[in-house]
Amino acid sequence: MELAQSPSYDTMNIALDAEHVGLDADAHPLFSRMPSSVSFNKLRKRLLRQVRQALDDFGMLKGAKRWLVGVSGGKDSYSLLALLMDLQWRGLLPVELIACNLDQGQPNFPKHILPDYLSSIGVKHRIDYRDTYSIVKEKVPTGATYCSLCSRLRRGNLYRIAREEGCDALVLGHHREDILETFFMNLFHGGRLASMPAKLLNDEGDLMVLRPLAYAAEDDLAKFAAAMAFPIIPCDLCGSQDGLERNAMKAMLADIERRMPGRKDTMLRALGHVNASHLLDPKLFDFQSLGPEPKE
């Protein structure tokens, strides 16, 4: 499937108009009609700083040439693409970007929204159709949740597309809350300390999976998406089910943050400061050899 070639920025009907922008002049044209408020400018710069920090901390640019950016139509992936395009525009991201949406055949999916929007902002993109929805409906028993199988099928197809497009990485819009929720799901239900890494080599060893929004808060992304007026596609097209384990983790974290503001940031920092000698895994620390120095 060929990439859609978007119009050049010179021919786009988007102008950097100082009256509307209120941002620094080298911001990407897609910011030209956004709020000129101080609060939005601070929000945008905070998110850009967090993305740059993640790129640096996890060496995401090492050997990077071409990235496939997954765009689902939700707030997180739209925000990810906009922030990456802004960094690229500023010369801070020397990587070619290809936006990709996998149309999975959900009923009532508005097929025109993403290609229209991606063309309007001047980004190369690919829309790929695979009816994984029918597979999920066939395989998952009535009353069970679709998310796990749906996610695996989607990821497999995105790997395929990344290979077909000659990309070295698949870039996804998972944020701080996604990482914390995954940690607690593994802790409570899997009996292990593990989360969603910011940088991962796939099982086949030929593609990186990157999450540049690892330090970004979901609330910030929601505010950013609302201010940017992204054409959000609702996430309930296949009938989202309540009561999922992730929803319980989200509610628990929200309650902790309400009662003790700042705990989410503290927990995220903890994931980056692991002391293996103070845990219980003999595979990570040689407890057998641990002992006092022999007395003379």
Side-chain angles (χ1 to χ4, degrees):
M1 183 176 182
E2 294 185 359
L3 289 176
Q5 297 295 328
S6 299
S8 69
Y9 297 125
D10 292 335
T11 60
M12 289 167 59
N13 186 26
I14 299 178
L16 281 173
D17 183 343
E19 180 181 348
H20 296 90
V21 182
L23 303 173
D24 39 319
D26 61 341
H28 190 281
L30 66 90
F31 290 93
S32 64
R33 300 290 173 180
M34 292 308 104
S36 59
S37 66
V38 172
S39 61
F40 176 76
N41 201 17
K42 286 183 177 179
L43 172 63
R44 184 177 68 93
K45 289 183 176 180
R46 178 166 64 251
L47 289 170
L48 286 170
R49 183 174 64 253
Q50 290 169 338
V51 170
R52 292 186 67 190
Q53 188 68 52
L55 295 176
D56 183 60
D57 284 353
F58 300 101
M60 293 185 187
L61 294 179
K62 183 179 179 181
K65 295 180 180 178
R66 202 176 202 205
W67 286 355
L68 188 77
V69 183
V71 181
S72 65
K75 68 181 190 312
D76 306 325
S77 58
Y78 274 131
S79 298
L80 170 66
L81 180 62
L83 293 165
L84 293 178
M85 290 179 70
D86 198 16
L87 289 175
Q88 185 188 58
W89 178 266
R90 295 163 175 272
L92 299 172
L93 186 67
V95 177
E96 182 181 358
L97 301 176
I98 302 172
C100 178
N101 173 254
L102 181 66
D103 179 349
Q104 297 180 263
Q106 298 102 323
N108 304 315
F109 185 79
K111 297 179 181 294
H112 66 286
I113 290 180
L114 276 164
D116 287 354
Y117 176 74
L118 296 173
S119 294
S120 75
I121 63 172
V123 62
K124 288 183 180 179
H125 59 276
R126 172 169 168 174
I127 308 296
D128 199 89
Y129 178 79
R130 286 292 186 278
D131 184 9
T132 62
Y133 175 77
S134 295
I135 298 174
V136 171
K137 290 286 286 184
E138 177 185 345
K139 300 293 185 183
V140 177
T142 302
T145 58
Y146 304 147
C147 302
S148 179
L149 178 58
C150 182
S151 177
R152 290 200 301 273
L153 293 172
R154 180 172 61 251
R155 183 68 58 84
N157 277 287
L158 288 174
Y159 284 159
R160 169 184 57 79
I161 296 167
R163 295 185 184 104
E164 291 173 359
E165 297 299 338
C167 296
D168 42 72
L170 170 62
V171 187
L172 302 173
H174 297 118
H175 46 66
R176 180 187 70 177
E177 276 70 14
D178 290 321
I179 290 172
L180 291 176
E181 290 159 17
T182 301
F183 173 79
F184 281 105
M185 286 173 66
N186 284 322
L187 178 66
F188 292 161
H189 302 287
R192 60 195 178 105
L193 295 181
S195 187
M196 186 180 282
K199 182 181 181 181
L200 173 73
L201 182 65
N202 71 336
D203 291 340
E204 292 79 5
D206 64 338
L207 287 170
M208 300 305 303
V209 179
L210 306 177
R211 298 181 171 95
L213 297 181
Y215 295 147
E218 185 174 15
D219 284 348
D220 278 352
L221 294 170
K223 293 173 185 175
F224 181 77
M228 293 290 286
F230 294 134
I232 302 296
I233 297 175
C235 63
D236 59 353
L237 294 170
C238 60
S240 296
Q241 299 101 334
D242 294 328
L244 301 179
E245 292 174 357
R246 185 169 294 274
N247 289 345
M249 298 302 103
K250 184 182 291 290
M252 181 193 73
L253 287 166
D255 180 60
I256 292 173
E257 186 71 15
R258 242 185 337 264
R259 292 186 288 109
M260 295 177 286
R263 291 315 97 184
K264 286 183 179 180
D265 282 336
T266 301
M267 285 186 276
L268 192 71
R269 286 198 301 273
L271 293 181
H273 294 83
V274 178
N275 191 338
S277 67
H278 286 54
L279 296 175
L280 303 176
D281 192 340
K283 297 188 296 297
L284 295 180
F285 186 81
D286 187 7
F287 292 99
Q288 295 288 346
S289 301
L290 185 64
E293 294 291 329
K295 296 180 180 179
E296 296 181 358

